[in-house]
Amino acid sequence: MGLNLEITLGKIKLNSPLILCSGIFGFGNENIKFIDERKIGAIVTKTITYEPWPGNPQPRIYETNYGMINRIGLQNPGVFYFMRNIFPKLRKKYKRVFVSISGRSEKEFVEIIKIVSKKRIDAIELNLSCPNFENEKKMISQSSELTFKIVKSVKNETDIPVIVKLTPNVTEIKEIAISAEEGGADILSLINTIKGLAVDFKKMRVIDGGLSGPSIKPVGLKCVYDVYKVVNIPIIGMGGITCGLDAIEYFLVGASAIGIGSGFYSNPQIIDDIYKTLKNFLRKNKFKSIREMIGLLNEKKENF
Amino acid sequence: MGLNLEITLGKIKLNSPLILCSGIFGFGNENIKFIDERKIGAIVTKTITYEPWPGNPQPRIYETNYGMINRIGLQNPGVFYFMRNIFPKLRKKYKRVFVSISGRSEKEFVEIIKIVSKKRIDAIELNLSCPNFENEKKMISQSSELTFKIVKSVKNETDIPVIVKLTPNVTEIKEIAISAEEGGADILSLINTIKGLAVDFKKMRVIDGGLSGPSIKPVGLKCVYDVYKVVNIPIIGMGGITCGLDAIEYFLVGASAIGIGSGFYSNPQIIDDIYKTLKNFLRKNKFKSIREMIGLLNEKKENF
Amino acid sequence: MERKICKILKNENLSGNYYFLILENNFKKIFKPGNFIHIKIGNNFLRRPFSIALFDREKIGIIYKVVGKGTDELRKKKKGEFLDILGPCGNFFPIYKNKKVCIIGGGTGIAPLIFLSKVLKKYGNDVYFFYGARDKNLIFFKLLLTGINYIFSTDNGSYGKKGNIFDVFKNFEENFQVIYGAGPEILLKKLSIYSENIPVYISVENYMACGMGLCYGCVIRIRKNNGYEYKRVCKDGPVFKASEIIWD
Amino acid sequence: MERKICKILKNENLSGNYYFLILENNFKKIFKPGNFIHIKIGNNFLRRPFSIALFDREKIGIIYKVVGKGTDELRKKKKGEFLDILGPCGNFFPIYKNKKVCIIGGGTGIAPLIFLSKVLKKYGNDVYFFYGARDKNLIFFKLLLTGINYIFSTDNGSYGKKGNIFDVFKNFEENFQVIYGAGPEILLKKLSIYSENIPVYISVENYMACGMGLCYGCVIRIRKNNGYEYKRVCKDGPVFKASEIIWD
Ligand SMILES: Cc1cc2nc3c(=O)[nH]c(=O)nc-3n(C[C@H](O)[C@H](O)[C@H](O)COP(=O)(O)OP(=O)(O)OC[C@H]3O[C@@H](n4cnc5c(N)ncnc54)[C@H](O)[C@@H]3O)c2cc1C
Ligand SMILES: Cc1cc2nc3c(=O)[nH]c(=O)nc-3n(C[C@H](O)[C@H](O)[C@H](O)COP(=O)(O)OP(=O)(O)OC[C@H]3O[C@@H](n4cnc5c(N)ncnc54)[C@H](O)[C@@H]3O)c2cc1C
Ligand SMILES: Cc1cc2nc3c(=O)[nH]c(=O)nc-3n(C[C@H](O)[C@H](O)[C@H](O)COP(=O)(O)O)c2cc1C
Ligand SMILES: Cc1cc2nc3c(=O)[nH]c(=O)nc-3n(C[C@H](O)[C@H](O)[C@H](O)COP(=O)(O)O)c2cc1C
Ligand code: FES
Ligand code: FES
């Protein structure tokens, strides 16, 4: 079968629409047998910050109904260490490497961009769901203004395509998505985890973090569906994908690529499984490429 | 055992902390054997509007991972019909009847309040998650200003306690909750359904509505946990409760009562089950009342 | 309506994707033809509705087709295991006496009609059962009753007349006094045209949540004055007069 | 690390809440004492980690205690059914040769130690196994091996010395060259004091998501210079030098 699963994200060509989500695969340098690089469009690194961060104390994770909550807290060795010691391995291993970054100030964002832009990375993903930004009580992507501002300064600093990853914890994600596009975003990643909380009865404590997994799929689909109608840049859809049909749902409501997240922990062979289902689906429905199913279930674009 | 499950919600005394959520039990006049009125603190009616509403065309519901999406669209016979023909039956059947209402304008809210206030109802619940309010693109409870305004005008009109029900689809629910309290809300109901979407492959269409059920429990808990810290009025906690332990989680993070929602559809004997678990839990932990466990897992109140 | 945990007495493949499930009947209520049960299957949040195909003091039976997650899990349940059942749900077919009646259906629509045919016969009716299937192997001969006039059709002509069961019925010479139908929507729509002259009762299906008349999720449009109102399939139905329904 | 669908050969109650599960070994890799497997159980989103208690060419065995949702579902699995297994996960106990070694543990900590004792014996060590339990019926005699010196204690004195296994060990006359431990955190903490003089290796537990070193959810604090760094129990552990760990 000549069928292939190639897609494009703006100017970036990927040989598969399957993208490994930020934070799910550590720094990407673990030797995980289950990841077949040929079936992967790109890997997004765990979010990297300027200085090394230790991450949060325990508890960091807890299971929920068809999902999990995490509050890892961006444990990472800092951008210098990362670019020097980890990035080169990723570069060799994956055809496309997207580096996820976050900062506590506009200045930090710019500094990090300068450093990562020196190497051949395929895209930068801005994780704008980091709390404690410049002493605001909000995440950046909870404010249209901040989103616009940060995206714009980052775009001024680099020629590398910029992906903007948004939180679903907003009143109207369409507004934020438009601001990101206006700021110059090349691609959007939807969605980051949803604010959630679990109770650990045994230890009588709460785990207050970000919810991911199958239970959030309807929220991810809704965000992609809504945002697709109002922007003209491609969307990487994610949130609760555990099988090929989930991935197809995201394409049908407007995603150009999909992110594999915590579903990998449940089924580490998820990549092979999705890849196979996608091929079969294209064949059965006589689609020639993934592109043909993108947004099929969306009404026409709307003016917002 | 002398143990009882009495609670108070502001000035309202309930002989049980179990409240039947709005919209889950129709208009409350169906003869459902599984509802033991003695174990119910109060019933909230399906949301009533000024004029009769036909509701949405099909599809109206769809199952998701551990949950469901609905877009019933407030099908109801209007406030006049309701108060004349349905309310009297509820009055006889349930010790406490809370009437849920919604309007498309401030004026409509006030009109409805005037009508319902003529009868002996125990509380009014304002469903502020109705879209299409005065041609805004937002729900009322997505705006602090609108929430404040509507709650205030309603409070001016009636002496009946007012419950304000909020959507979780906001950037910061604490802000909205504070506005509701400032507007004069006596009680808060958290949470209404979360915006979500499902794909029906067979019919190749989307179901774009509100997500409920176990998958949203972490979001409901998080909202109650956060809001408890910043308000001084009681909270009815709901979202994904399917068993007694779920209910206890809500109490521990700050709810004074809990709402039984779509979990009833999965297990119509949920009321008996939760009631029993609560009694056992109190006994085992030597709590004398539900009150003693409210907010136990919250840190101190915070200034916001 | 009661909720019971019922023991599975039998769960056998009939043929193709069709299965026959028999449960121990520990309900107090009497079930009537047209009623359905609402079954909790595995971790699916919502229950799944199935028409009663068989009912007596000891047993409740349904015929189901595997079409998705829930029915696929149901298929795997074994004799001796238990299921969480809500029932009897919905309304039922009105039962006439000593009439010449037609029953017509296909697919899973056969399920309630088998139970119906039994009761109609008991009440002295002369019962003609028009039974459509895709193929001979999808006609469940062993579930058929004696004393009923069966007329079969199959899409591929492997048994009975070749073609659609509605066409067979249309060309049939008898004059019926009541018509009962269940099955594909297209068949039910076509039956509506007879309702000007005689009563036509049909059992319709819709996606359901509560199954108890509470959520208003399963509504269909029913004629009212010059317009329509939404009525609940689970509570006001699943049996409606064909003439009342406004099809989409 | 491999993912295999393994057939259950046995799933028996040992006593109380403790069970012994034996799976058909269709892994290519050799498992070592200290390694764990990560099992997908029913509809629980996350897998559940269990130490290897038994390993040979044909079989993989774990001992588990029913403590929650997952283990309760596991208990109900029957011989002949299949489980989705990830393994071998984590690091393993370093194996010395011809030494006088101490193994000490209690509760589910016994599981990896049984496998460990077998391997240590094979390598010519003189093995003393301090085995603590709440009650005699929680000592799994049938899983014990010959050629190993067992010292038992029970909380209620129903078998061996009465009291805590650490106290029994503390008062024991022998000088060990290596100590291996697993079980309750309080025991592991106490063992740390011996690590100034001899190597003390302990297997620790933590709540896990991925089990593959990817999510950084299972970290514990490990000494580094004057401070600490977070290390992953699932990948850098579960076996650590007792001296490295900073207990909460
Ligand atoms: C009153 C009533 C009586 C029924 N009687 C029978 C019967 O006797 N035998 C039988 O085989 N089936 C019957 N059905 C249909 C049966 O309920 C569905 O096939 C079943 O719920 C599908 O469950 P699933 O989990 O396998 O499918 P899902 O995975 O949930 O969905 C698969 C497909 O089935 C459709 N579907 C899901 N639920 C329903 C539903 N409640 N009604 C109609 N379509 C649905 C979905 O839209 C989807 O396209 C009846 C339905 C109703 C409403
Ligand atoms: C490396 C490792 C090896 C282990 N080996 C064994 C073993 O050989 N035998 C055995 O019985 N148990 C072992 N455990 C513990 C076992 O994994 C948990 O008891 C199990 O995951 C609980 O699952 P559950 O669904 O029954 O409990 P849940 O319903 O998930 O939770 C019940 C309680 O168990 C705690 N818990 C849940 N998951 C874990 C976990 N991964 N680690 C520790 N506590 C947890 C929860 O905090 C909760 O308080 C091991 C754990 C680790 C990390
Ligand atoms: C353990 C864990 C760590 C994560 N770390 C990051 C991160 O560092 N940066 C980021 O942008 N998203 C992070 N995420 C969010 C995921 O990239 C993804 O957006 C989210 O999990 C939703 O997808 P899922 O439901 O498929 O898991 C993390 C998620 C998990 C579960
Ligand atoms: C079918 C259905 C109808 C609902 N109708 C209303 C309504 O009319 N008014 C309202 O305030 N909430 C309505 N809700 C929301 C519930 O009251 C509740 O807030 C929500 O379902 C979350 O709880 P749950 O997860 O326990 O179901 C409805 C929910 C469902 C599932
Ligand atoms: S399924 Fe709820 S009203 Fe019919
Ligand atoms: S469980 Fe994910 S890193 Fe250990």
Side-chain angles (χ1 to χ4, degrees):
Chain A
M1 281 292 309
L3 259 189
N4 71 57
L5 298 183
E6 274 173 23
I7 57 147
T8 56
L9 282 178
K11 284 174 242 157
I12 315 169
K13 258 207 163 136
L14 303 183
N15 54 19
S16 156
L18 309 191
I19 293 179
L20 305 178
C21 287
S22 176
I24 300 290
F25 300 88
F27 299 98
N29 59 334
E30 296 301 332
N31 211 346
I32 298 295
K33 266 205 182 160
F34 306 106
I35 301 179
D36 178 350
E37 289 80 23
R38 293 161 309 169
K39 293 187 181 137
I40 292 301
I43 180 166
V44 189
T45 68
K46 193 166 170 51
T47 300
I48 311 294
T49 53
Y50 189 71
E51 283 162 27
W53 281 18
N56 285 329
Q58 286 291 350
R60 285 188 169 189
I61 42 175
Y62 210 74
E63 193 183 53
T64 61
N65 293 309
Y66 271 169
M68 64 178 279
I69 288 176
N70 90 77
R71 49 183 297 284
I72 309 297
L74 301 187
Q75 174 172 352
N76 84 91
V79 68
F80 292 102
Y81 183 93
F82 172 77
M83 289 309 291
R84 191 167 325 126
N85 300 298
I86 303 179
F87 177 75
K89 291 179 202 156
L90 300 184
R91 187 68 282 170
K92 263 183 232 149
K93 199 160 164 184
Y94 295 96
K95 209 165 159 207
R96 300 277 178 236
V97 181
F98 298 169
V99 177
S100 168
I101 65 153
S102 192
R104 280 167 305 188
S105 66
E106 192 172 345
K107 197 163 146 264
E108 255 190 30
F109 268 100
V110 171
E111 288 304 316
I112 300 174
I113 294 295
K114 282 187 188 155
I115 297 160
V116 299
S117 296
K118 288 186 191 137
K119 294 269 171 77
R120 196 172 64 72
I121 71 180
D122 299 293
I124 292 161
E125 182 168 280
L126 303 180
N127 174 358
L128 302 189
S129 312
C130 177
N132 294 324
F133 178 79
E134 285 178 355
N135 300 320
E136 300 266 347
K137 294 220 168 179
K138 284 181 181 151
M139 310 176 195
I140 298 170
S141 64
Q142 284 184 319
S143 152
S144 286
E145 293 74 38
L146 284 179
T147 301
F148 177 82
K149 189 169 104 172
I150 295 297
V151 176
K152 188 143 191 165
S153 359
V154 164
K155 281 297 290 183
N156 280 340
E157 210 56 53
T158 186
D159 292 329
I160 298 170
V162 171
I163 306 167
V164 178
K165 184 163 179 185
L166 302 182
T167 174
N169 279 109
V170 291
T171 302
E172 185 49 86
I173 198 163
K174 288 189 264 191
E175 287 174 11
I176 312 286
I178 290 170
S179 300
E181 186 179 29
E182 286 172 353
D186 299 288
I187 300 160
L188 295 175
S189 260
L190 304 178
I191 57 175
N192 215 316
T193 54
I194 304 178
K195 283 199 227 166
L197 181 140
V199 172
D200 178 348
F201 271 107
K202 204 166 136 197
K203 304 215 163 135
M204 265 298 177
R205 65 186 180 189
V206 300
I207 295 86
D208 184 355
L211 183 64
S212 66
S215 56
I216 73 166
K217 193 184 70 175
V219 178
L221 287 170
K222 170 68 173 161
C223 290
V224 171
Y225 181 78
D226 280 357
V227 168
Y228 178 79
K229 290 191 264 184
V230 298
V231 300
N232 294 303
I233 49 177
I235 300 169
I236 306 172
M238 68 197 69
I241 294 175
T242 62
C243 65
L245 283 184
D246 292 340
I248 292 164
E249 292 179 2
Y250 271 96
F251 292 125
L252 291 173
V253 301
S256 292
I258 60 99
I260 293 173
S262 43
F264 185 84
Y265 301 159
S266 204
N267 171 15
Q269 282 172 337
I270 186 174
I271 294 164
D272 289 310
D273 292 355
I274 295 181
Y275 199 85
K276 205 166 126 192
T277 306
L278 289 182
K279 280 223 159 186
N280 285 338
F281 189 84
L282 290 187
R283 188 177 306 138
K284 250 172 119 175
N285 291 281
K286 304 206 166 57
F287 289 133
K288 280 188 222 75
S289 69
I290 294 285
R291 196 196 186 94
E292 290 181 42
M293 61 171 149
I294 297 172
L296 274 188
L297 290 184
N298 271 272
E299 298 123 49
K300 263 168 270 119
K301 298 245 172 191
E302 72 184 30
N303 289 322
F304 190 71
Chain B
M1 281 291 312
L3 259 188
N4 73 58
L5 298 181
E6 275 174 23
I7 57 147
T8 56
L9 282 178
K11 282 175 242 155
I12 313 170
K13 258 207 164 137
L14 303 183
N15 53 19
S16 154
L18 310 192
I19 293 179
L20 305 179
C21 288
S22 177
I24 299 291
F25 300 89
F27 298 99
N29 60 332
E30 297 300 332
N31 212 347
I32 298 296
K33 265 206 182 162
F34 306 105
I35 300 179
D36 179 350
E37 290 79 24
R38 292 162 308 168
K39 294 188 179 137
I40 292 299
I43 181 166
V44 188
T45 67
K46 193 165 170 53
T47 299
I48 311 295
T49 55
Y50 189 70
E51 283 162 27
W53 281 20
N56 286 328
Q58 286 290 348
R60 285 188 171 192
I61 42 176
Y62 210 75
E63 193 184 53
T64 61
N65 293 309
Y66 272 171
M68 65 178 279
I69 287 177
N70 90 76
R71 48 183 296 284
I72 308 298
L74 300 188
Q75 174 173 352
N76 83 93
V79 67
F80 292 102
Y81 183 93
F82 172 77
M83 290 308 291
R84 190 166 326 126
N85 301 298
I86 303 179
F87 177 75
K89 291 180 202 156
L90 300 184
R91 188 67 284 171
K92 262 184 231 148
K93 199 160 164 184
Y94 295 96
K95 205 161 163 214
R96 299 279 178 237
V97 181
F98 299 169
V99 178
S100 169
I101 66 151
S102 191
R104 280 167 306 189
S105 65
E106 192 171 343
K107 196 163 147 265
E108 255 189 31
F109 268 100
V110 170
E111 287 304 316
I112 302 174
I113 293 296
K114 282 186 191 158
I115 296 160
V116 299
S117 296
K118 286 186 194 139
K119 294 268 169 81
R120 199 171 61 73
I121 71 178
D122 299 293
I124 292 161
E125 182 168 277
L126 303 181
N127 175 358
L128 302 188
S129 312
C130 177
N132 296 324
F133 178 79
E134 285 178 357
N135 299 321
E136 300 267 348
K137 293 219 169 180
K138 284 183 180 149
M139 310 174 195
I140 298 170
S141 64
Q142 284 184 320
S143 151
S144 285
E145 293 73 38
L146 284 179
T147 301
F148 177 83
K149 190 169 102 173
I150 295 298
V151 176
K152 189 146 187 159
S153 359
V154 165
K155 281 296 290 183
N156 281 340
E157 212 55 53
T158 186
D159 291 328
I160 297 171
V162 171
I163 307 168
V164 177
K165 185 163 179 185
L166 302 182
T167 174
N169 279 107
V170 291
T171 302
E172 184 49 83
I173 198 164
K174 287 189 265 191
E175 287 174 10
I176 311 288
I178 289 169
S179 301
E181 185 179 27
E182 285 171 355
D186 298 289
I187 300 160
L188 296 175
S189 261
L190 305 177
I191 57 176
N192 216 315
T193 54
I194 304 177
K195 282 200 227 165
L197 182 141
V199 173
D200 179 347
F201 272 107
K202 205 165 135 198
K203 306 213 162 138
M204 266 298 176
R205 65 184 180 190
V206 300
I207 295 87
D208 185 353
L211 182 63
S212 66
S215 56
I216 72 165
K217 193 184 69 175
V219 178
L221 287 170
K222 171 68 174 161
C223 290
V224 172
Y225 181 79
D226 280 358
V227 168
Y228 179 78
K229 290 192 264 185
V230 297
V231 301
N232 294 303
I233 49 177
I235 300 168
I236 307 171
M238 68 196 69
I241 294 175
T242 62
C243 65
L245 284 183
D246 292 340
I248 292 164
E249 291 179 3
Y250 271 96
F251 292 126
L252 291 174
V253 301
S256 292
I258 60 100
I260 293 174
S262 43
F264 185 83
Y265 301 159
S266 203
N267 171 15
Q269 280 171 337
I270 186 173
I271 294 164
D272 289 311
D273 291 355
I274 295 182
Y275 199 85
K276 204 166 128 191
T277 307
L278 289 182
K279 280 225 159 184
N280 285 338
F281 189 84
L282 290 187
R283 189 176 305 137
K284 248 173 121 175
N285 291 279
K286 303 205 164 57
F287 289 134
K288 279 187 224 76
S289 70
I290 294 284
R291 195 193 188 96
E292 291 181 41
M293 61 170 149
I294 298 171
L296 274 188
L297 291 183
N298 270 271
E299 299 124 48
K300 264 167 268 117
K301 299 245 170 189
E302 72 183 30
N303 288 322
F304 190 72
Chain C
M1 201 181 301
E2 302 163 46
R3 179 199 180 209
K4 295 283 180 196
I5 307 300
C6 300
K7 196 188 225 166
I8 297 174
L9 301 176
K10 195 187 240 182
N11 189 17
E12 62 167 12
N13 182 241
L14 286 169
S15 74
N17 286 328
Y18 286 81
Y19 289 76
F20 188 34
L21 173 78
I22 302 184
L23 299 164
E24 197 170 64
N25 177 9
N26 48 11
F27 284 82
K28 293 197 196 85
K29 285 219 171 158
I30 305 289
F31 289 43
K32 296 183 179 153
N35 280 160
F36 65 94
I37 55 175
H38 213 27
I39 314 186
K40 171 92 184 149
I41 311 171
N43 279 296
N44 296 296
F45 184 55
L46 298 179
R47 290 167 179 266
R48 301 289 192 267
F50 298 93
S51 299
I52 302 296
L54 175 158
F55 179 86
D56 62 29
R57 212 185 287 259
E58 283 84 36
K59 302 184 298 293
I60 295 172
I62 64 166
I63 300 168
Y64 65 96
K65 186 177 171 189
V66 174
V67 298
K69 270 198 322 172
T71 44
D72 192 52
E73 278 184 61
L74 189 56
R75 173 178 71 80
K76 292 174 191 154
K77 296 278 169 194
K78 297 206 178 67
K79 184 179 158 170
E81 293 186 56
F82 290 85
L83 281 171
D84 174 349
I85 309 282
L86 211 59
C89 304
N91 69 357
F92 42 84
F93 288 105
I95 302 298
Y96 290 75
K97 282 183 196 166
N98 309 316
K99 296 247 148 65
K100 178 174 280 193
V101 304
C102 157
I103 290 178
I104 174 165
T108 57
I110 292 301
L113 300 181
I114 289 181
F115 183 18
L116 175 67
S117 67
K118 188 173 166 190
V119 175
L120 284 173
K121 210 195 82 192
K122 202 171 100 187
Y123 282 92
N125 297 286
D126 188 11
V127 183
Y128 289 76
F129 195 141
F130 292 81
Y131 189 135
R134 271 188 293 120
D135 183 89
K136 181 182 174 186
N137 78 337
L138 295 177
I139 299 174
F140 313 124
F141 294 101
K142 64 177 221 178
L143 300 181
L144 304 185
L145 310 165
T146 53
I148 285 171
N149 310 297
Y150 289 100
I151 302 97
F152 297 99
S153 85
T154 50
D155 292 355
N156 59 8
S158 53
Y159 194 80
K161 300 256 162 57
K162 180 171 171 156
N164 188 281
I165 193 69
F166 180 76
D167 297 328
V168 178
F169 160 76
K170 208 172 52 186
N171 300 320
F172 205 74
E173 300 285 278
E174 302 285 345
N175 281 321
F176 297 110
Q177 295 168 285
V178 190
I179 298 176
Y180 299 94
E185 201 168 291
I186 175 100
L187 167 65
L188 302 182
K189 277 185 198 168
K190 285 179 182 167
L191 287 177
S192 309
I193 56 167
Y194 291 88
S195 59
E196 280 182 30
N197 307 313
I198 47 168
V200 179
Y201 297 99
I202 57 177
S203 173
V204 304
E205 294 188 5
N206 212 346
Y207 203 94
M208 285 181 179
C210 70
M212 298 177 265
L214 301 174
C215 74
Y216 288 76
C218 63
V219 296
I220 57 171
R221 288 191 295 159
I222 296 292
R223 265 174 240 292
K224 189 187 179 184
N225 309 328
N226 284 325
Y228 67 88
E229 64 178 330
Y230 282 119
K231 288 217 169 190
R232 298 158 299 180
V233 170
C234 70
K235 174 92 187 184
D236 307 311
V239 177
F240 291 92
K241 277 191 171 165
S243 54
E244 296 177 322
I245 296 177
I246 304 176
W247 299 98
D248 288 323
Chain D
M1 203 181 300
E2 302 163 46
R3 179 199 180 210
K4 296 282 179 196
I5 309 298
C6 300
K7 195 188 224 166
I8 297 173
L9 301 177
K10 194 187 238 179
N11 190 17
E12 60 166 14
N13 181 240
L14 285 170
S15 72
N17 285 327
Y18 286 81
Y19 289 77
F20 189 35
L21 173 78
I22 303 184
L23 300 163
E24 198 171 62
N25 177 10
N26 48 10
F27 284 82
K28 294 199 195 83
K29 285 221 172 154
I30 304 290
F31 289 43
K32 294 181 180 155
N35 280 160
F36 66 94
I37 56 177
H38 213 26
I39 313 185
K40 172 91 182 149
I41 310 171
N43 278 297
N44 296 295
F45 184 56
L46 298 178
R47 290 166 179 265
R48 301 289 191 268
F50 298 94
S51 299
I52 303 297
L54 175 157
F55 179 86
D56 62 30
R57 213 184 287 260
E58 284 84 35
K59 303 184 297 295
I60 294 173
I62 64 165
I63 299 168
Y64 66 95
K65 185 178 171 186
V66 174
V67 299
K69 270 199 320 175
T71 44
D72 192 52
E73 278 186 62
L74 189 55
R75 174 178 71 80
K76 292 173 191 154
K77 296 277 171 196
K78 298 209 176 62
K79 183 177 160 172
E81 293 186 55
F82 290 85
L83 282 171
D84 174 348
I85 310 282
L86 210 62
C89 305
N91 69 356
F92 42 85
F93 288 105
I95 302 297
Y96 289 77
K97 282 182 195 166
N98 308 318
K99 294 251 148 64
K100 177 173 281 192
V101 303
C102 157
I103 289 179
I104 174 165
T108 57
I110 293 300
L113 300 180
I114 288 179
F115 183 18
L116 175 67
S117 67
K118 187 174 167 188
V119 174
L120 284 174
K121 210 195 84 193
K122 200 172 103 186
Y123 282 92
N125 296 285
D126 188 11
V127 183
Y128 289 75
F129 195 139
F130 292 81
Y131 189 134
R134 270 190 295 121
D135 182 89
K136 183 182 172 184
N137 79 336
L138 296 176
I139 299 175
F140 312 126
F141 294 102
K142 65 177 222 179
L143 300 180
L144 303 185
L145 311 166
T146 53
I148 284 172
N149 310 296
Y150 288 101
I151 301 96
F152 297 99
S153 84
T154 50
D155 292 356
N156 59 8
S158 53
Y159 194 80
K161 298 256 161 56
K162 178 170 174 157
N164 187 280
I165 194 68
F166 181 76
D167 296 328
V168 177
F169 160 75
K170 207 172 56 185
N171 300 322
F172 205 75
E173 300 285 279
E174 302 284 345
N175 282 322
F176 297 109
Q177 295 168 287
V178 191
I179 298 175
Y180 298 94
E185 200 168 293
I186 176 100
L187 168 66
L188 303 181
K189 275 186 198 169
K190 284 180 184 167
L191 287 177
S192 308
I193 57 168
Y194 290 88
S195 60
E196 280 183 26
N197 307 311
I198 48 167
V200 179
Y201 297 99
I202 57 177
S203 172
V204 304
E205 294 188 5
N206 212 346
Y207 203 93
M208 285 181 179
C210 71
M212 299 177 265
L214 301 174
C215 73
Y216 288 76
C218 63
V219 297
I220 55 170
R221 288 190 295 157
I222 295 291
R223 265 174 239 292
K224 188 186 180 185
N225 308 328
N226 285 323
Y228 67 90
E229 64 178 331
Y230 283 120
K231 289 217 166 190
R232 298 158 300 180
V233 170
C234 71
K235 175 90 185 185
D236 307 311
V239 177
F240 291 94
K241 276 191 172 165
S243 54
E244 295 177 326
I245 296 176
I246 303 176
W247 299 98
D248 286 324

